[in-house]
C-alpha cells in the first residue's frame, strides 16, 4: 500500500484522538513525525505512539521529516503560523477547529495554501460523525420534509488544557472551543446556505476566576432560506460530555445524541476507570462510552482527508468553510456585546473575537 506520510503537530488531548484514528482506522497514512513546543513532550509523545522522528522546531520538521501532510492540533493562536509555514513548504494541511483566531489570519491561510497549490482541510468532525451523517441523509431522503429549525448543543464542565481559558491564546471562550462545531454543522446540513443574521447571549457562570471568556452561550442564526438554527454551548455542564442535535421539519423530527446514545448505562458503587470525556467521577450512575473517537467522526474525517491527498480530490470541508464559521463567531460576539441582532456579512478589526463582547480590556 502506498502510504501518505503525515507529521502531527501538538501533544494534547485532540492529538491523542487523531493518533488513535490513524493507528486503528487509516492504514493509508503513516505518521512519520511529531512536534511539540517542549522537547520532553515531543519525545514522550513519539515514544508513546512509536513515531520515528520528533521535533521541537516546526521549520526543522518541515525540512527533515519527509512528510506530505501536516496535521495541526496546536492551540488556536498558533494555527495561522503553522499553516502558512506548512503551505510554503509544499505540505498539505489538516487544521483543527477553529480555523484561526482572526478573519485576517484565515484569509492569509487560505491565500497561501492556494498560492502553493496545497490542500487545506478543515477538521470539523461533526460533518463525518456517523449518527449525525445518518440524520443528514434521512433529511435528504425526505424523512422529515422541509427543514425549518436546527439545534445543536455541545456541553461539558471545561477544557482539558489551561490555554483554552486564556483569551490571548484561544481568542475567546466556549464559542471558539465548541460553538464552532454547531455553526459548521448548520452550514453542512443546509448545503452552505447563506446566513443572514446572528443573535447571541453569553456569560461566564462557572469559571469566573479562571477566564475572561464566556463559558455558557446561546447563538441563534437565521438563514436566507428561512431556517432558524440554535447553538447551545457550555463549559458549565457537569457529568461529562453532552453532544446532541435536533432536526425539525414540516413532516417530522430527528433527535441524535452522540454520547449517551452510544453508551452502556452503568451503576458502580466504587467507581471505575474511564467513562466518557469530561466525566469527573464514575461512582453511581454513569454513561460508559463505546468507541468514542469513531462515534465522533474523527477516523472518517481523517481517512477522507488522506484520500483527498492520495487521489487529488477536493475536501468536503475546506478552509473557506472554516472561515465562514469564524465570521459567524465574530457576529455572535458582536451581538452579545451590542445586545442586538447582527446582520451578515460581518467583519471587524480586532485582535481576538471575544473583544467584540468584552471590549478591548
Amino acid at each position: 500500500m502506498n502510504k501518505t506520510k503525515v507529521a502531527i503537530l501538538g501533544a494534547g488531548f485532540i492529538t491523542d484522538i487523531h493518533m488513535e484514528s490513524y493507528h486503528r482506522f487509516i492504514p493509508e497514512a503513516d505518521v512519520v513525525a511529531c512536534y511539540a513546543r517542549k522537547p520532553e513532550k515531543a519525545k514522550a509523545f513519539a515514544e508513546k505512539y512509536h513515531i520515528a522522528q520528533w521535533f521541537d522546531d516546526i521549520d526543522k520538521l518541515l525540512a527533515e521529516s519527509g512528510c506530505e501532510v501536516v496535521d495541526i492540533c496546536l492551540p488556536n493562536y498558533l494555527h495561522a503560523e503553522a499553516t502558512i509555514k506548512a503551505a510554503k513548504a509544499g505540505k498539505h494541511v489538516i487544521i483543527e477547529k477553529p480555523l484561526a483566531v482572526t478573519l485576517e489570519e484565515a484569509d492569509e491561510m487560505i491565500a497561501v495554501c492556494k498560492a502553493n497549490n496545497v490542500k487545506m482541510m478543515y477538521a470539523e468532525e461533526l460533518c463525518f460523525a456517523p449518527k449525525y451523517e445518518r440524520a443528514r441523509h434521512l433529511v435528504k431522503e425526505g424523512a422529515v420534509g422541509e427543514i425549518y429549525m436546527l439545534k445543536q448543543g455541545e456541553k461539558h464542565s471545561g477544557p482539558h488544557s489551561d490555554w483554552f481559558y486564556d483569551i490571548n491564546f484561544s481568542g475567546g471562550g466556549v464559542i471558539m472551543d465548541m460553538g464552532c462545531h454547531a455553526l459548521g454543522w448548520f452550514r453542512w446540513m443546509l448545503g452552505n446556505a447563506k446566513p443572514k443574521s446572528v443573535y447571541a447571549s453569553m456569560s461566564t457562570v462557572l469559571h469566573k476566576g479562571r477566564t475572561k471568556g464566556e463559558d455558557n452561550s446561546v447563538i441563534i442564526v437565521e438563514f436566507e432560506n428561512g431556517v432558524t438554527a440554535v447553538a447551545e454551548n457550555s463549559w458549565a455542564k457537569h457529568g461529562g460530555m453532552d453532544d446532541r442535535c435536533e432536526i425539525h421539519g414540516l413532516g417530522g423530527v430527528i433527535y441524535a445524541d452522540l454520547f449517551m446514545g452510544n453508551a452502556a448505562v452503568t451503576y458502580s458503587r466504587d467507581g471505575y476507570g474511564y467513562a466518557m470525556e469530561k466525566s469527573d467521577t464514575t461512582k453511581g450512575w454513569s454513561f460508559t462510552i463505546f468507541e468514542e473517537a469513531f462515534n465522533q467522526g474523527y477516523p472518517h474525517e481523517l481517512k477522507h482527508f488522506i484520500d483527498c491527498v492520495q487521489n487529488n480530490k477536493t475536501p468536503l470541508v475546506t478552509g473557506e468553510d472554516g472561515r465562514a464559521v469564524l465570521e459567524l463567531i465574530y457576529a455572535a460576539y458582536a451581538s452579545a456585546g451590542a445586545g442586538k441582532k447582527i446582520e451578515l456579512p460581518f467583519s471587524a478589526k480586532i485582535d481576538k473575537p471575544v473583544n467584540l463582547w468584552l471590549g478591548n480590556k
Side-chain angles (χ1 to χ4, degrees), residues 17-29 291-295 298-300 302-303:
I17 291 178
H18 280 222
M19 286 305 304
E20 179 186 351
S21 299
Y22 285 123
H23 280 179
R24 295 185 58 202
F25 301 104
I26 314 173
E28 302 89 347
E291 289 289 12
E292 189 168 10
F294 184 90
N295 289 328
Y298 290 101
H300 317 72
L302 295 172
K303 194 176 186 73

Side-chain angles (χ1 to χ4, degrees), residues 154-219:
E154 188 168 306
K155 305 173 185 179
H156 57 55
S157 58
H160 298 276
S161 301
D162 288 339
W163 69 262
F164 282 96
Y165 297 95
D166 188 331
I167 59 175
N168 295 311
F169 295 151
S170 61
V174 71
I175 293 173
M176 289 292 281
D177 179 28
M178 303 197 306
C180 50
H181 289 307
L183 299 173
W185 181 75
F186 295 153
R187 296 182 70 255
W188 178 244
M189 284 295 300
L190 299 175
N192 293 340
K194 288 185 67 175
K196 68 176 185 179
S197 70
V198 174
Y199 180 78
S201 174
M202 62 190 72
S203 57
T204 312
V205 297
L206 181 63
H207 300 286
K208 292 179 180 178
R210 195 171 185 187
T211 184
K212 293 180 179 179
E214 78 291 348
D215 64 10
N216 197 69
S217 68
V218 178
I219 304 171

Side-chain angles (χ1 to χ4, degrees), residues 229-250:
V230 182
E232 299 178 354
N233 299 102
S234 185
W235 284 346
K237 181 261 177 191
H238 295 291
M241 175 70 87
D242 189 351
D243 193 316
R244 64 184 72 189
C245 72
E246 299 178 13
I247 303 167
H248 296 264
L250 298 179

